[in-house]
Amino acid sequence: MGKKKRWLTALLTGCMAAALLTGCGGGQSAGDKTTLKVGVTNFADTLEPTENYFSWVVMRYGMGETLVKFDEKMNATPWLAESWQIGDDKLTWTFKIRDNIKFSNGKPLTAEAVKASLERSFAKNNRAKTFFEYTEMTADGQTLTIKTVKPSPSMPGFLADPLFLIVDVSSEGERDFAKQGPICTGPYVCESFVKEKAVMKKNPYYWDGEVPYETVEIPSIDDPNTRAMALQSGEVDMAVNIAAGDIGLFNDTAKFHIDRISSLRTVLARINNKGILGDPKVRAAFISMTDRKAYNEVILKGTFIPGKAPVPPSLDYGFDQLTDPNAYNVDRANKLLDEAGWKDTDGDGIRDKDGKPLSVDFIIYNSRAELPIYAEAVQADAKKVGIDVKIKPVDYNLLDKIGTSGEYDLLISNITTANTGDPEIYLNWYWRTNVNGDNPQNGSGYSNPAYDAKCAELAVEFDPAKRRQLMIDMQQILLNDAAGLFLGYPETNIVSSTKITGAIMHPADYYWITNKIKPAN
């Protein structure tokens, strides 16, 4: 397809999307001072914050807040809690809840309400206990006390994860959280929600400054080209994660503001240890045949950093000192596959063994523009060494189930590696041994006793230097074991019209719509 034809197709697609939202050529244009319009990709079927990872959407849309918030350097700072301290026993945490905060229904935020909300998260989502487990939780006025089973050095960061956003549990009988959105403390409250579009209204009880807009409309525009076109045509005021190839459309600083940062994310292809890739030689060969430098510098035009280690170089966890034994080396990949007994016996270009072709399924989702690009590049490189890669696109909502059940050979994700301030939870979830379902995110079957021992040490270590070294050591074990394919490290961005101010991309990637976004004049 020629360049002109591609852009015409994108323009028509953009107009069709806009027609769905406002009617092409009609409706309220972006820049209206009472309504903010935000183009996003939404993966949530519902707004129930304990389901899947939907709490991220509840927070991103300006509804939900947690006790603790990350600043732009990923330090844990007060939010709904004004302060906290840990007892001498290293188990007892005391949080002082701010006075005079109300939920969006006018009910007061008390320590008892916070306790009920945290207990609800633990009751409804098994992922909660992978952060910490508690022996007791008590509330007294505005003081919340949590006693953990074992020392939890990262406790404030744990409670900044969107899974622990605070909802008014007492309102559940009056409101369907899934369909209508939970009652929270954020600047906006849900008026209506379907997966394709959410509408927020101003929270009249908001505690932390003026709420500038009466209404926030949030269309979900999964196609990156269409999302860029919607911003360019003025159908939305801001858009989250404009694709690398479209950023150049917004260089006119009189019309647009680009806020882009090196993210805390890694594009990871999880590798299943229970199938064909369970053979260490095949796994190592697979990683060795991927030209990650070319993927990132040539195909993605330098907007991603070439992948190597689990944690991106934007975080200070030894990236430069880590060694990748499976760096790009096609000759080594071919040699390893030969040694593993995979030969092309029928001359069809695909290796086989015991009558079976060397074929793997690569599960992807399309709402992030780079993911199918990576998968197709891997597929092309794999064919050169005799591996058949079958790309299987799925809806993002299925990803968590596929990941936990292990129903994949390779499974791509664009993952935040420091969702609690440092990479501890990320390194735990995907690679600590899953014993009888106690670590459900590791559905790959990967298990290494030395790695598990480091995980256990890290979980109770308070000293920052020792924590850092443990996480460097853990990454080297994963690299030595060929435990995952780390494809690249993205930038992330929010692009906004100059008709608004305050649209900023935070490293934590949780805080998209805030009351700091307001009309420019």
Side-chain angles (χ1 to χ4, degrees):
M1 187 186 285
K3 189 173 182 183
K4 187 173 178 183
K5 192 172 179 183
R6 263 202 312 274
W7 279 112
L8 181 60
T9 303
L11 185 62
L12 289 169
T13 310
C15 195
M16 288 165 63
L20 288 171
L21 307 178
T22 60
C24 217
Q28 196 173 41
S29 65
D32 168 50
K33 292 189 179 181
T34 63
T35 303
L36 175 68
K37 296 189 176 185
V38 185
V40 302
T41 56
N42 166 46
F43 61 86
D45 284 330
T46 81
L47 291 177
E48 168 50 63
T50 62
E51 188 180 339
N52 203 313
Y53 285 83
F54 297 168
S55 57
W56 284 49
V57 173
V58 175
M59 187 173 283
R60 285 169 165 176
Y61 285 11
M63 288 177 274
E65 298 175 326
T66 43
L67 295 182
V68 180
K69 186 177 188 177
F70 293 117
D71 67 14
E72 291 186 20
K73 294 184 177 177
M74 291 304 289
N75 299 308
T77 60
W79 205 4
L80 296 180
E82 65 180 32
S83 62
W84 54 84
Q85 59 186 42
I86 184 172
D88 292 340
D89 63 359
K90 298 285 194 260
L91 300 172
T92 306
W93 290 86
T94 305
F95 292 84
K96 177 72 169 64
I97 310 304
R98 291 184 193 273
D99 289 320
N100 304 318
I101 296 181
K102 292 180 178 179
F103 287 104
S104 58
N105 58 7
K107 292 181 183 176
L109 179 73
T110 62
E112 188 59 50
V114 171
K115 174 177 176 282
S117 181
L118 295 177
E119 288 172 339
R120 182 180 188 273
S121 295
F122 274 89
K124 288 183 168 284
N125 193 316
N126 287 333
R127 199 168 73 248
K129 67 183 180 186
T130 66
F131 292 90
F132 68 95
E133 293 186 74
Y134 62 93
T135 55
E136 61 179 330
M137 196 181 319
T138 57
D140 180 15
Q142 294 301 101
T143 302
L144 177 76
T145 304
I146 304 173
K147 190 163 187 178
T148 58
V149 171
K150 63 184 181 184
S152 298
S154 299
M155 187 70 165
F158 292 164
L159 290 174
D161 188 277
L163 181 59
F164 299 113
L165 61 83
I166 304 304
V167 304
D168 176 25
V169 176
S170 71
S171 68
E172 265 198 285
E174 309 147 25
R175 187 178 179 91
D176 184 334
F177 283 11
K179 293 178 181 174
Q180 298 170 291
I183 295 294
C184 302
T185 59
Y188 295 102
V189 60
C190 181
E191 181 181 70
S192 65
F193 174 82
V194 290
K195 189 175 181 184
E196 294 73 29
K197 185 176 181 181
V199 178
M200 303 292 139
K201 289 292 184 185
K202 177 189 288 194
N203 172 6
Y205 299 101
Y206 191 55
W207 63 279
D208 192 20
E210 178 197 359
V211 180
Y213 292 98
E214 294 295 327
T215 305
V216 182
E217 295 183 6
I218 313 168
S220 182
I221 311 171
D222 283 349
D223 178 70
N225 275 131
T226 311
R227 197 159 62 249
M229 289 296 169
L231 179 59
Q232 206 180 26
S233 68
E235 292 295 337
V236 296
D237 299 295
M238 57 182 270
V240 180
N241 285 323
I242 293 294
D246 292 330
I247 280 281
L249 299 172
F250 303 100
N251 285 339
D252 185 344
T253 55
K255 292 182 179 178
F256 299 105
H257 175 70
I258 300 172
D259 194 63
R260 61 204 286 190
I261 58 172
S262 295
S263 76
L264 309 182
R265 290 179 169 273
T266 295
V267 179
L268 159 68
R270 281 175 259 177
I271 297 177
N272 195 327
N273 280 233
K274 295 171 287 193
I276 284 176
L277 296 173
D279 182 330
K281 287 188 174 180
V282 177
R283 203 162 60 243
F286 195 94
I287 296 172
S288 287
M289 65 81 189
T290 58
D291 188 356
R292 286 163 277 174
K293 191 170 190 289
Y295 303 168
N296 292 281
E297 293 182 359
V298 179
I299 301 173
L300 288 162
K301 301 175 184 175
T303 56
F304 286 63
I305 296 166
K308 178 179 83 171
V311 177
S314 57
L315 289 161
D316 182 23
Y317 290 94
F319 185 84
D320 290 335
Q321 72 194 68
L322 291 164
T323 303
D324 182 6
N326 300 307
Y328 182 53
N329 186 330
V330 175
D331 290 342
R332 177 173 180 267
N334 278 312
K335 184 170 180 290
L336 286 167
L337 292 171
D338 288 342
E339 289 173 6
W342 292 93
K343 316 274 185 182
D344 180 11
T345 60
D346 56 10
D348 67 350
I350 301 301
R351 294 171 183 262
D352 54 85
K353 182 178 174 181
D354 301 328
K356 288 178 62 177
L358 182 49
S359 179
V360 295
D361 289 343
F362 196 166
I363 308 292
I364 70 164
Y365 60 99
N366 289 319
S367 57
R368 287 187 177 271
E370 74 277 5
L371 301 186
I373 293 171
Y374 276 123
E376 288 164 13
V378 169
Q379 183 183 52
D381 274 350
K383 193 170 185 182
K384 294 173 188 172
V385 298
I387 303 174
D388 174 36
V389 172
K390 290 184 165 62
I391 298 172
K392 303 281 181 77
V394 301
D395 186 273
Y396 182 89
N397 279 322
L398 299 174
L399 214 66
D400 194 48
K401 180 180 178 294
I402 292 168
T404 55
S405 64
E407 295 169 1
Y408 62 88
D409 291 311
L410 294 136
L411 173 64
I412 204 166
S413 302
N414 184 318
I415 296 173
T416 293
T417 62
N419 58 320
T420 58
D422 71 23
E424 177 183 357
I425 290 292
Y426 160 68
L427 293 170
N428 262 277
W429 275 356
Y430 297 109
W431 296 286
R432 181 172 62 78
T433 302
N434 184 1
V435 180
N436 298 322
D438 73 339
N439 188 30
Q441 293 303 312
N442 179 3
S444 71
Y446 175 78
S447 179
N448 181 320
Y451 188 84
D452 293 342
K454 299 277 185 189
C455 287
E457 271 188 82
L458 179 62
V460 296
E461 180 55 68
F462 282 78
D463 181 86
K466 290 179 181 175
R467 289 179 62 79
R468 178 179 180 273
Q469 189 57 52
L470 282 165
M471 286 186 267
I472 292 171
D473 295 345
M474 290 162 71
Q475 290 182 82
Q476 192 61 61
I477 291 171
L478 295 177
L479 288 170
N480 293 346
D481 286 350
L485 172 55
F486 307 102
L487 287 160
Y489 313 106
E491 287 186 330
T492 188
N493 65 69
I494 285 179
V495 182
S496 55
S497 162
T498 50
K499 292 175 182 176
I500 68 171
T501 63
I504 293 169
M505 177 53 80
H506 287 261
D509 207 8
Y510 304 149
Y511 317 122
W512 288 358
I513 297 170
T514 73
N515 69 324
K516 304 297 185 288
I517 300 170
K518 54 187 68 174
N521 48 47

PDB file of all heavy atoms in Angstrom, residues 443-470:
ATOM      1  N   GLY A 443       3.013 -18.409  35.228  1.00  0.00           N
ATOM      2  CA  GLY A 443       2.392 -19.588  34.617  1.00  0.00           C
ATOM      3  C   GLY A 443       3.328 -20.285  33.655  1.00  0.00           C
ATOM      4  O   GLY A 443       2.953 -21.243  32.989  1.00  0.00           O
ATOM      5  N   SER A 444       4.593 -19.816  33.597  1.00  0.00           N
ATOM      6  CA  SER A 444       5.539 -20.339  32.605  1.00  0.00           C
ATOM      7  C   SER A 444       6.188 -21.649  33.034  1.00  0.00           C
ATOM      8  O   SER A 444       6.775 -22.341  32.216  1.00  0.00           O
ATOM      9  CB  SER A 444       6.650 -19.319  32.355  1.00  0.00           C
ATOM     10  OG  SER A 444       7.517 -19.243  33.480  1.00  0.00           O
ATOM     11  N   GLY A 445       6.127 -21.953  34.337  1.00  0.00           N
ATOM     12  CA  GLY A 445       6.826 -23.127  34.840  1.00  0.00           C
ATOM     13  C   GLY A 445       8.283 -22.876  35.162  1.00  0.00           C
ATOM     14  O   GLY A 445       8.994 -23.794  35.588  1.00  0.00           O
ATOM     15  N   TYR A 446       8.752 -21.638  34.984  1.00  0.00           N
ATOM     16  CA  TYR A 446      10.151 -21.337  35.326  1.00  0.00           C
ATOM     17  C   TYR A 446      10.353 -21.511  36.829  1.00  0.00           C
ATOM     18  O   TYR A 446       9.545 -21.059  37.639  1.00  0.00           O
ATOM     19  CB  TYR A 446      10.519 -19.906  34.931  1.00  0.00           C
ATOM     20  CG  TYR A 446      11.925 -19.530  35.382  1.00  0.00           C
ATOM     21  CD1 TYR A 446      13.037 -19.968  34.675  1.00  0.00           C
ATOM     22  CD2 TYR A 446      12.134 -18.794  36.546  1.00  0.00           C
ATOM     23  CE1 TYR A 446      14.323 -19.653  35.095  1.00  0.00           C
ATOM     24  CE2 TYR A 446      13.418 -18.469  36.974  1.00  0.00           C
ATOM     25  CZ  TYR A 446      14.506 -18.907  36.244  1.00  0.00           C
ATOM     26  OH  TYR A 446      15.774 -18.610  36.679  1.00  0.00           O
ATOM     27  N   SER A 447      11.479 -22.157  37.184  1.00  0.00           N
ATOM     28  CA  SER A 447      11.787 -22.387  38.593  1.00  0.00           C
ATOM     29  C   SER A 447      13.286 -22.551  38.755  1.00  0.00           C
ATOM     30  O   SER A 447      13.913 -23.331  38.037  1.00  0.00           O
ATOM     31  CB  SER A 447      11.072 -23.657  39.093  1.00  0.00           C
ATOM     32  OG  SER A 447      11.372 -23.897  40.439  1.00  0.00           O
ATOM     33  N   ASN A 448      13.860 -21.799  39.705  1.00  0.00           N
ATOM     34  CA  ASN A 448      15.281 -21.898  39.996  1.00  0.00           C
ATOM     35  C   ASN A 448      15.456 -21.650  41.494  1.00  0.00           C
ATOM     36  O   ASN A 448      15.166 -20.551  41.974  1.00  0.00           O
ATOM     37  CB  ASN A 448      16.062 -20.862  39.171  1.00  0.00           C
ATOM     38  CG  ASN A 448      17.563 -20.931  39.406  1.00  0.00           C
ATOM     39  OD1 ASN A 448      18.017 -21.111  40.529  1.00  0.00           O
ATOM     40  ND2 ASN A 448      18.335 -20.769  38.336  1.00  0.00           N
ATOM     41  N   PRO A 449      15.925 -22.644  42.258  1.00  0.00           N
ATOM     42  CA  PRO A 449      16.051 -22.491  43.716  1.00  0.00           C
ATOM     43  C   PRO A 449      16.946 -21.320  44.127  1.00  0.00           C
ATOM     44  O   PRO A 449      16.668 -20.644  45.119  1.00  0.00           O
ATOM     45  CB  PRO A 449      16.662 -23.823  44.169  1.00  0.00           C
ATOM     46  CG  PRO A 449      16.308 -24.795  43.088  1.00  0.00           C
ATOM     47  CD  PRO A 449      16.274 -24.015  41.820  1.00  0.00           C
ATOM     48  N   ALA A 450      18.020 -21.068  43.361  1.00  0.00           N
ATOM     49  CA  ALA A 450      18.905 -19.947  43.691  1.00  0.00           C
ATOM     50  C   ALA A 450      18.163 -18.616  43.529  1.00  0.00           C
ATOM     51  O   ALA A 450      18.332 -17.688  44.334  1.00  0.00           O
ATOM     52  CB  ALA A 450      20.143 -19.965  42.790  1.00  0.00           C
ATOM     53  N   TYR A 451      17.325 -18.549  42.501  1.00  0.00           N
ATOM     54  CA  TYR A 451      16.527 -17.342  42.277  1.00  0.00           C
ATOM     55  C   TYR A 451      15.514 -17.157  43.415  1.00  0.00           C
ATOM     56  O   TYR A 451      15.358 -16.055  43.950  1.00  0.00           O
ATOM     57  CB  TYR A 451      15.809 -17.447  40.931  1.00  0.00           C
ATOM     58  CG  TYR A 451      15.112 -16.170  40.513  1.00  0.00           C
ATOM     59  CD1 TYR A 451      15.815 -15.156  39.878  1.00  0.00           C
ATOM     60  CD2 TYR A 451      13.756 -15.966  40.752  1.00  0.00           C
ATOM     61  CE1 TYR A 451      15.191 -13.971  39.489  1.00  0.00           C
ATOM     62  CE2 TYR A 451      13.124 -14.791  40.375  1.00  0.00           C
ATOM     63  CZ  TYR A 451      13.852 -13.809  39.738  1.00  0.00           C
ATOM     64  OH  TYR A 451      13.227 -12.635  39.375  1.00  0.00           O
ATOM     65  N   ASP A 452      14.848 -18.246  43.796  1.00  0.00           N
ATOM     66  CA  ASP A 452      13.858 -18.176  44.880  1.00  0.00           C
ATOM     67  C   ASP A 452      14.500 -17.713  46.186  1.00  0.00           C
ATOM     68  O   ASP A 452      13.898 -16.961  46.951  1.00  0.00           O
ATOM     69  CB  ASP A 452      13.202 -19.543  45.088  1.00  0.00           C
ATOM     70  CG  ASP A 452      12.344 -19.969  43.907  1.00  0.00           C
ATOM     71  OD1 ASP A 452      11.981 -19.100  43.095  1.00  0.00           O
ATOM     72  OD2 ASP A 452      12.028 -21.169  43.806  1.00  0.00           O
ATOM     73  N   ALA A 453      15.730 -18.160  46.432  1.00  0.00           N
ATOM     74  CA  ALA A 453      16.433 -17.754  47.660  1.00  0.00           C
ATOM     75  C   ALA A 453      16.693 -16.244  47.661  1.00  0.00           C
ATOM     76  O   ALA A 453      16.552 -15.582  48.696  1.00  0.00           O
ATOM     77  CB  ALA A 453      17.746 -18.520  47.785  1.00  0.00           C
ATOM     78  N   LYS A 454      17.061 -15.705  46.483  1.00  0.00           N
ATOM     79  CA  LYS A 454      17.259 -14.251  46.374  1.00  0.00           C
ATOM     80  C   LYS A 454      15.942 -13.505  46.588  1.00  0.00           C
ATOM     81  O   LYS A 454      15.912 -12.444  47.223  1.00  0.00           O
ATOM     82  CB  LYS A 454      17.830 -13.894  45.001  1.00  0.00           C
ATOM     83  CG  LYS A 454      19.184 -14.510  44.693  1.00  0.00           C
ATOM     84  CD  LYS A 454      20.325 -13.714  45.278  1.00  0.00           C
ATOM     85  CE  LYS A 454      21.670 -14.273  44.852  1.00  0.00           C
ATOM     86  NZ  LYS A 454      22.786 -13.650  45.579  1.00  0.00           N
ATOM     87  N   CYS A 455      14.851 -14.050  46.050  1.00  0.00           N
ATOM     88  CA  CYS A 455      13.527 -13.444  46.253  1.00  0.00           C
ATOM     89  C   CYS A 455      13.197 -13.360  47.745  1.00  0.00           C
ATOM     90  O   CYS A 455      12.705 -12.328  48.225  1.00  0.00           O
ATOM     91  CB  CYS A 455      12.434 -14.265  45.561  1.00  0.00           C
ATOM     92  SG  CYS A 455      12.393 -14.139  43.768  1.00  0.00           S
ATOM     93  N   ALA A 456      13.469 -14.451  48.450  1.00  0.00           N
ATOM     94  CA  ALA A 456      13.169 -14.495  49.886  1.00  0.00           C
ATOM     95  C   ALA A 456      14.019 -13.483  50.653  1.00  0.00           C
ATOM     96  O   ALA A 456      13.535 -12.820  51.578  1.00  0.00           O
ATOM     97  CB  ALA A 456      13.401 -15.909  50.412  1.00  0.00           C
ATOM     98  N   GLU A 457      15.285 -13.350  50.276  1.00  0.00           N
ATOM     99  CA  GLU A 457      16.163 -12.353  50.910  1.00  0.00           C
ATOM    100  C   GLU A 457      15.656 -10.939  50.667  1.00  0.00           C
ATOM    101  O   GLU A 457      15.591 -10.104  51.575  1.00  0.00           O
ATOM    102  CB  GLU A 457      17.581 -12.463  50.325  1.00  0.00           C
ATOM    103  CG  GLU A 457      18.510 -13.420  51.023  1.00  0.00           C
ATOM    104  CD  GLU A 457      19.923 -13.264  50.466  1.00  0.00           C
ATOM    105  OE1 GLU A 457      20.652 -12.339  50.891  1.00  0.00           O
ATOM    106  OE2 GLU A 457      20.287 -14.070  49.581  1.00  0.00           O
ATOM    107  N   LEU A 458      15.307 -10.667  49.417  1.00  0.00           N
ATOM    108  CA  LEU A 458      14.862  -9.333  49.037  1.00  0.00           C
ATOM    109  C   LEU A 458      13.595  -8.923  49.780  1.00  0.00           C
ATOM    110  O   LEU A 458      13.436  -7.764  50.166  1.00  0.00           O
ATOM    111  CB  LEU A 458      14.623  -9.290  47.521  1.00  0.00           C
ATOM    112  CG  LEU A 458      14.132  -7.976  46.924  1.00  0.00           C
ATOM    113  CD1 LEU A 458      15.159  -6.864  47.140  1.00  0.00           C
ATOM    114  CD2 LEU A 458      13.841  -8.149  45.429  1.00  0.00           C
ATOM    115  N   ALA A 459      12.711  -9.882  49.999  1.00  0.00           N
ATOM    116  CA  ALA A 459      11.407  -9.592  50.612  1.00  0.00           C
ATOM    117  C   ALA A 459      11.531  -8.985  52.006  1.00  0.00           C
ATOM    118  O   ALA A 459      10.628  -8.272  52.448  1.00  0.00           O
ATOM    119  CB  ALA A 459      10.570 -10.861  50.659  1.00  0.00           C
ATOM    120  N   VAL A 460      12.629  -9.260  52.695  1.00  0.00           N
ATOM    121  CA  VAL A 460      12.767  -8.777  54.085  1.00  0.00           C
ATOM    122  C   VAL A 460      13.967  -7.844  54.276  1.00  0.00           C
ATOM    123  O   VAL A 460      14.296  -7.478  55.400  1.00  0.00           O
ATOM    124  CB  VAL A 460      12.858  -9.963  55.078  1.00  0.00           C
ATOM    125  CG1 VAL A 460      11.569 -10.770  55.060  1.00  0.00           C
ATOM    126  CG2 VAL A 460      14.047 -10.873  54.759  1.00  0.00           C
ATOM    127  N   GLU A 461      14.614  -7.455  53.166  1.00  0.00           N
ATOM    128  CA  GLU A 461      15.804  -6.608  53.257  1.00  0.00           C
ATOM    129  C   GLU A 461      15.420  -5.124  53.174  1.00  0.00           C
ATOM    130  O   GLU A 461      14.802  -4.692  52.209  1.00  0.00           O
ATOM    131  CB  GLU A 461      16.780  -6.957  52.120  1.00  0.00           C
ATOM    132  CG  GLU A 461      18.059  -6.137  52.108  1.00  0.00           C
ATOM    133  CD  GLU A 461      18.814  -6.208  53.418  1.00  0.00           C
ATOM    134  OE1 GLU A 461      19.338  -7.308  53.738  1.00  0.00           O
ATOM    135  OE2 GLU A 461      18.853  -5.178  54.124  1.00  0.00           O
ATOM    136  N   PHE A 462      15.814  -4.345  54.185  1.00  0.00           N
ATOM    137  CA  PHE A 462      15.496  -2.922  54.225  1.00  0.00           C
ATOM    138  C   PHE A 462      16.604  -2.045  53.645  1.00  0.00           C
ATOM    139  O   PHE A 462      16.341  -0.925  53.226  1.00  0.00           O
ATOM    140  CB  PHE A 462      15.217  -2.479  55.671  1.00  0.00           C
ATOM    141  CG  PHE A 462      13.849  -2.866  56.168  1.00  0.00           C
ATOM    142  CD1 PHE A 462      13.582  -4.159  56.583  1.00  0.00           C
ATOM    143  CD2 PHE A 462      12.819  -1.936  56.215  1.00  0.00           C
ATOM    144  CE1 PHE A 462      12.322  -4.523  57.040  1.00  0.00           C
ATOM    145  CE2 PHE A 462      11.552  -2.287  56.676  1.00  0.00           C
ATOM    146  CZ  PHE A 462      11.305  -3.579  57.087  1.00  0.00           C
ATOM    147  N   ASP A 463      17.844  -2.531  53.627  1.00  0.00           N
ATOM    148  CA  ASP A 463      18.973  -1.710  53.198  1.00  0.00           C
ATOM    149  C   ASP A 463      18.936  -1.493  51.669  1.00  0.00           C
ATOM    150  O   ASP A 463      18.985  -2.472  50.909  1.00  0.00           O
ATOM    151  CB  ASP A 463      20.285  -2.389  53.580  1.00  0.00           C
ATOM    152  CG  ASP A 463      21.488  -1.566  53.178  1.00  0.00           C
ATOM    153  OD1 ASP A 463      21.891  -0.687  53.973  1.00  0.00           O
ATOM    154  OD2 ASP A 463      22.012  -1.777  52.065  1.00  0.00           O
ATOM    155  N   PRO A 464      18.846  -0.234  51.193  1.00  0.00           N
ATOM    156  CA  PRO A 464      18.699   0.019  49.753  1.00  0.00           C
ATOM    157  C   PRO A 464      19.835  -0.553  48.905  1.00  0.00           C
ATOM    158  O   PRO A 464      19.592  -1.086  47.821  1.00  0.00           O
ATOM    159  CB  PRO A 464      18.666   1.551  49.659  1.00  0.00           C
ATOM    160  CG  PRO A 464      18.223   2.019  51.013  1.00  0.00           C
ATOM    161  CD  PRO A 464      18.776   1.017  51.978  1.00  0.00           C
ATOM    162  N   ALA A 465      21.081  -0.447  49.379  1.00  0.00           N
ATOM    163  CA  ALA A 465      22.217  -0.956  48.600  1.00  0.00           C
ATOM    164  C   ALA A 465      22.153  -2.473  48.461  1.00  0.00           C
ATOM    165  O   ALA A 465      22.439  -3.023  47.391  1.00  0.00           O
ATOM    166  CB  ALA A 465      23.527  -0.524  49.250  1.00  0.00           C
ATOM    167  N   LYS A 466      21.790  -3.138  49.549  1.00  0.00           N
ATOM    168  CA  LYS A 466      21.675  -4.609  49.487  1.00  0.00           C
ATOM    169  C   LYS A 466      20.502  -5.027  48.606  1.00  0.00           C
ATOM    170  O   LYS A 466      20.594  -6.018  47.864  1.00  0.00           O
ATOM    171  CB  LYS A 466      21.525  -5.171  50.906  1.00  0.00           C
ATOM    172  CG  LYS A 466      22.795  -5.048  51.743  1.00  0.00           C
ATOM    173  CD  LYS A 466      22.589  -5.584  53.150  1.00  0.00           C
ATOM    174  CE  LYS A 466      23.862  -5.440  53.986  1.00  0.00           C
ATOM    175  NZ  LYS A 466      23.649  -5.849  55.393  1.00  0.00           N
ATOM    176  N   ARG A 467      19.399  -4.280  48.688  1.00  0.00           N
ATOM    177  CA  ARG A 467      18.247  -4.576  47.821  1.00  0.00           C
ATOM    178  C   ARG A 467      18.649  -4.454  46.347  1.00  0.00           C
ATOM    179  O   ARG A 467      18.328  -5.309  45.517  1.00  0.00           O
ATOM    180  CB  ARG A 467      17.082  -3.631  48.125  1.00  0.00           C
ATOM    181  CG  ARG A 467      16.399  -3.878  49.461  1.00  0.00           C
ATOM    182  CD  ARG A 467      15.258  -2.892  49.702  1.00  0.00           C
ATOM    183  NE  ARG A 467      14.204  -3.005  48.702  1.00  0.00           N
ATOM    184  CZ  ARG A 467      13.270  -3.949  48.705  1.00  0.00           C
ATOM    185  NH1 ARG A 467      13.247  -4.862  49.661  1.00  0.00           N
ATOM    186  NH2 ARG A 467      12.347  -3.985  47.765  1.00  0.00           N
ATOM    187  N   ARG A 468      19.356  -3.381  46.041  1.00  0.00           N
ATOM    188  CA  ARG A 468      19.786  -3.163  44.655  1.00  0.00           C
ATOM    189  C   ARG A 468      20.648  -4.320  44.165  1.00  0.00           C
ATOM    190  O   ARG A 468      20.439  -4.847  43.062  1.00  0.00           O
ATOM    191  CB  ARG A 468      20.554  -1.844  44.563  1.00  0.00           C
ATOM    192  CG  ARG A 468      21.100  -1.532  43.179  1.00  0.00           C
ATOM    193  CD  ARG A 468      21.828  -0.193  43.148  1.00  0.00           C
ATOM    194  NE  ARG A 468      22.356   0.095  41.820  1.00  0.00           N
ATOM    195  CZ  ARG A 468      23.539  -0.305  41.377  1.00  0.00           C
ATOM    196  NH1 ARG A 468      24.346  -1.014  42.178  1.00  0.00           N
ATOM    197  NH2 ARG A 468      23.938   0.000  40.151  1.00  0.00           N
ATOM    198  N   GLN A 469      21.616  -4.759  44.970  1.00  0.00           N
ATOM    199  CA  GLN A 469      22.512  -5.837  44.548  1.00  0.00           C
ATOM    200  C   GLN A 469      21.755  -7.142  44.367  1.00  0.00           C
ATOM    201  O   GLN A 469      22.019  -7.903  43.423  1.00  0.00           O
ATOM    202  CB  GLN A 469      23.652  -6.021  45.550  1.00  0.00           C
ATOM    203  CG  GLN A 469      24.740  -6.980  45.056  1.00  0.00           C
ATOM    204  CD  GLN A 469      25.355  -6.550  43.728  1.00  0.00           C
ATOM    205  OE1 GLN A 469      25.790  -5.410  43.572  1.00  0.00           O
ATOM    206  NE2 GLN A 469      25.383  -7.464  42.753  1.00  0.00           N
ATOM    207  N   LEU A 470      20.803  -7.415  45.249  1.00  0.00           N
ATOM    208  CA  LEU A 470      19.998  -8.626  45.105  1.00  0.00           C
ATOM    209  C   LEU A 470      19.247  -8.627  43.773  1.00  0.00           C
ATOM    210  O   LEU A 470      19.197  -9.642  43.071  1.00  0.00           O
ATOM    211  CB  LEU A 470      19.002  -8.747  46.270  1.00  0.00           C
ATOM    212  CG  LEU A 470      19.578  -9.255  47.587  1.00  0.00           C
ATOM    213  CD1 LEU A 470      18.610  -8.989  48.743  1.00  0.00           C
ATOM    214  CD2 LEU A 470      19.891 -10.762  47.497  1.00  0.00           C
TER     215      LEU A 470
END
